[in-house]
Amino acid sequence: MKTPTLSKATILLSIIPFATLIPVFLHVTLPDTIRTVWAVVNVLFVLVVFTLSMIQVRKKERRNIVVIFSSVISGFLLLLMIGFVLFALAATFLK
């Protein structure tokens, strides 16, 4: 079974936010502006990939293991982002 190009792009885009961990593992400190831009780009990637994977999963003829795996990854990252936002709001307003 041949994997469609959109499925390959979706899985690749869902892995890109994990590139944030590379400077951490290399013990490299990035300037604040670069970290902010990187965070915004990661949020956009997660939202785009989640939307793309949900569109592909809904169509039975496009559903395959790559799209399902991409949906799981992007769903996990989306829940993680929502958790961070809720924690930040709680920490700010309950202080």
Side-chain angles (χ1 to χ4, degrees):
M1 179 176 156
K2 186 175 178 187
T3 306
T5 306
L6 188 57
S7 297
K8 291 177 187 176
T10 305
I11 193 71
L12 180 66
L13 291 176
S14 67
I15 295 172
I16 287 178
F18 290 109
T20 305
L21 299 174
I22 293 171
V24 174
F25 292 139
L26 297 176
H27 302 289
V28 175
T29 304
L30 299 173
D32 290 339
T33 54
I34 292 177
R35 285 189 301 191
T36 302
V37 169
W38 203 336
V40 170
V41 169
N42 279 339
V43 169
L44 291 176
F45 269 120
V46 169
L47 293 174
V48 167
V49 170
F50 186 75
T51 304
L52 277 175
S53 60
M54 288 300 112
I55 289 171
Q56 290 181 5
V57 166
R58 288 180 62 201
K59 294 183 178 184
K60 193 168 188 155
E61 64 272 0
R62 289 187 173 239
R63 191 179 309 154
N64 58 29
I65 191 69
V66 175
V67 173
I68 293 170
F69 191 62
S70 173
S71 299
V72 169
I73 292 172
S74 61
F76 169 73
L77 291 173
L78 187 64
L79 287 174
L80 199 60
M81 285 186 336
I82 291 170
F84 285 147
V85 169
L86 291 177
F87 178 75
L89 288 174
T92 302
F93 291 117
L94 296 178
K95 201 171 192 182

